[in-house]
């Protein structure tokens, strides 16, 4: 009596052969290779994130262990709103960073930098918000940036607080209310020797359209010397005033004195702006939470910039139905 496999329909003379046959329906469904590869990439990314977080935690722990009791005490006092303690905090922070930096003990230097960065910026920002711009003027004067060779190591967290002040002032009181000294200070870091200080100065873009200080002119002056600083500033100009920012970007993209590939890089900032509705700089501060800020492209601005990009040919490497997001590099 023949025996039929209910799954595949094949028949066998004996029950043993039925049980032993290689039924194709027993094979597991093949996985989508792209899905499997994506999962593999995700696992690598998760592992890297975990490793980076562990290293960051270890670095901060090293910094806290190396820092003096005096630095920790002045931070606590500054966090309670003591203005004199705030100046003492900056001074101690600078001295201890300098000590390990000059010793070329860069692990400890970075440990102290990042262990105290967020709480020191928060303490200084709270005092600046209460005391006003005059307080930050004193800070800038005491730790001014005369030249790249003499850049103070606490500059990044001072820039961070100045950047917060610039953004708050613009959104609350308008661009004209931004102190010119704040823009001059941030704009001076365009050739910074430190990656962190260069990044924190990108909030300079929020001064676009200021009646007494031309952010656009400064950006156009330095673009061929420090393309990547300009590329970092440009998204902030859009967050501040997308119409003025579009004027500036249009001028840069059509400037034939700038290398064509460099202009392509500048055009790619539109992907950043399109993806991120809020900036990531200043560090450790969310202006969405404090100021309920959101960015959305004006369709007239989007259309105008698309036209410029197509006229200049920056879209040729993209698909037919390209968007700003496709311009990411």
């Amino acid at each position: 009596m023949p025996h039929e496999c209910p799954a595949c329909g094949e028949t066998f003379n004996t029950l043993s052969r039925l049980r032993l046959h290689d039924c194709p329906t027993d094979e597991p469904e093949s996985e989508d290779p792209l899905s499997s590869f994506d999962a593999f990439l995700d696992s690598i990314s998760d592992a890297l994130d975990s490793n980076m977080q562990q290293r960051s935690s270890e670095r901060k722990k090293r910094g806290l262990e190396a820092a003096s009791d005096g630095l920790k005490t002045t931070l606590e006092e500054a966090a309670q709103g003591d203005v004199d303690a705030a100046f003492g905090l900056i001074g101690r922070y600078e001295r201890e960073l300098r000590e390990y930096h000059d010793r070329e003990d860069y692990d400890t230097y970075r440990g102290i930098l990042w262990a105290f960065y967020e709480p020191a910026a928060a303490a200084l920002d709270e005092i600046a918000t209460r005391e006003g711009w005059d307080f930050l003027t004193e800070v800038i004067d005491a730790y001014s940036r005369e030249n790249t060779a003499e850049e103070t190591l606490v500059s990044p967290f001072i820039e961070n607080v100045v950047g917060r002040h610039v953004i708050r002032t613009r959104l609350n009181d308008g661009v004209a209310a931004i102190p010119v000294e704040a823009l001059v200070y941030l704009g001076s870091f365009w050739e910074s020797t430190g990656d962190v200080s260069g990044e924190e100065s990108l909030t300079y873009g929020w001064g676009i359209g200021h009646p007494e200080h031309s952010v656009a002119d400064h950006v156009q002056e330095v673009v061929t010397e420090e393309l990547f600083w300009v590329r970092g500033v440009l998204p902030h100009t859009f967050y501040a005033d997308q119409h003025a920012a579009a004027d500036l970007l249009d001028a840069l993209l059509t400037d034939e004195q700038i290398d064509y590939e460099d202009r392509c890089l500048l055009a790619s900032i539109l992907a950043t702006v399109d993806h991120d509705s809020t900036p990531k700089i200043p560090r450790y501060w969310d202006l969405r939470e404090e100021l309920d800020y959101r960015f959305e492209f004006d369709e007239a601005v989007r259309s105008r910039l698309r036209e410029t990009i197509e006229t200049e040919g920056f879209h040729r490497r993209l698909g037919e139905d390209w968007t700003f997001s496709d311009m990411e590099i």
Side-chain angles (χ1 to χ4, degrees):
M1 170 181 173
H3 301 275
E4 182 178 332
C5 174
C8 67
E10 190 173 352
T11 58
F12 301 90
N13 293 329
T14 66
L15 189 58
S16 296
R17 287 185 178 275
L18 170 63
R19 290 171 177 167
L20 293 172
H21 87 288
D22 187 17
C23 182
T25 60
D26 291 338
E27 296 179 5
E29 293 184 9
S30 60
E31 293 184 3
D32 178 351
L34 290 178
S35 174
S36 178
F37 186 66
D38 286 344
F40 171 66
L41 290 179
D42 287 343
S43 69
I44 292 177
S45 178
D46 291 343
L48 288 174
D49 286 345
S50 176
N51 187 43
M52 288 179 65
Q53 289 174 5
Q54 182 179 354
R55 290 177 61 187
S56 176
S57 177
E58 291 172 353
R59 180 177 59 193
K60 289 181 180 180
K61 182 180 178 182
R62 185 186 302 116
L64 287 170
E65 290 172 350
S68 71
D69 290 338
L71 178 57
K72 296 170 187 174
T73 300
T74 52
L75 173 58
E76 291 176 3
E77 292 171 350
Q80 294 172 8
D82 187 321
V83 174
D84 291 335
F87 282 103
L89 167 64
I90 300 169
R92 284 184 178 275
Y93 199 11
E94 172 68 24
R95 284 195 299 275
E96 296 191 26
L97 287 172
R98 181 64 61 186
E99 176 187 349
Y100 289 99
H101 186 276
D102 290 351
R103 236 191 255 178
E104 298 186 2
D105 183 352
Y106 298 122
D107 283 344
T108 304
Y109 159 72
R110 285 188 288 268
I112 293 175
L113 174 68
W114 293 114
F116 289 85
Y117 198 111
E118 181 177 3
L124 205 68
D125 182 47
E126 188 171 336
I127 293 172
T129 301
R130 185 189 72 221
E131 298 291 323
W133 174 248
D134 288 345
F135 167 73
L136 286 177
T137 298
E138 290 187 56
V139 173
I140 289 175
D141 287 346
Y143 295 91
S144 59
R145 183 173 185 270
E146 299 298 334
N147 55 62
T148 56
E150 298 178 8
E151 189 171 309
T152 60
L153 298 177
V154 292
S155 291
F157 106 98
I158 296 174
E159 294 167 66
N160 178 291
V161 179
V162 172
R164 298 186 197 195
H165 182 86
V166 166
I167 295 170
R168 278 196 199 99
T169 302
R170 172 144 201 160
L171 294 179
N172 291 330
D173 304 313
V175 62
I178 298 173
V180 171
E181 297 91 335
L183 297 178
V184 171
Y185 176 72
L186 292 172
S188 71
F189 288 91
W190 68 272
E191 54 178 349
S192 173
T193 56
D195 292 341
V196 182
S197 61
E199 289 172 358
E200 289 289 6
S201 69
L202 301 181
T203 50
Y204 176 71
W206 284 84
I208 192 166
H210 195 287
E212 298 177 39
H213 179 90
S214 179
V215 167
D217 285 352
H218 183 49
V219 164
Q220 289 174 287
E221 286 168 6
V222 305
V223 63
T224 55
E225 294 184 65
E226 194 49 67
L227 178 77
F228 287 96
W229 185 79
V230 169
R231 190 168 178 261
V233 166
L234 286 172
H236 291 266
T237 65
F238 275 88
Y239 299 136
D241 180 346
Q242 60 181 299
H243 297 279
D247 289 341
L248 172 58
L249 183 59
D250 189 79
L252 293 170
L253 297 184
T254 57
D255 185 351
E256 294 185 356
Q257 294 183 17
I258 304 172
D259 182 80
Y260 183 82
E261 293 297 326
D262 288 347
R263 284 186 280 152
C264 283
L265 278 172
L266 293 176
S268 73
I269 66 98
L270 292 170
T272 301
V273 179
D274 209 29
H275 284 163
D276 303 327
S277 61
T278 53
K280 303 298 186 293
I281 299 292
R283 286 176 171 83
Y284 307 119
W285 186 60
D286 188 348
L287 67 93
R288 291 176 301 178
E289 184 177 325
E290 180 178 321
L291 301 172
D292 193 27
Y293 171 87
R294 298 290 187 279
F295 174 84
E296 290 184 10
F297 259 116
D298 183 313
E299 288 307 313
V301 170
R302 189 189 294 274
S303 176
R304 171 190 170 186
L305 290 172
R306 280 186 64 92
E307 183 178 339
T308 298
I309 288 165
E310 290 180 345
T311 299
E312 296 299 317
F314 302 135
H315 69 301
R316 291 176 187 147
R317 303 170 186 174
L318 308 175
E320 186 175 339
D321 298 323
W322 66 275
T323 67
F324 286 167
S325 296
D326 297 324
M327 301 185 70
E328 187 171 19
I329 294 177

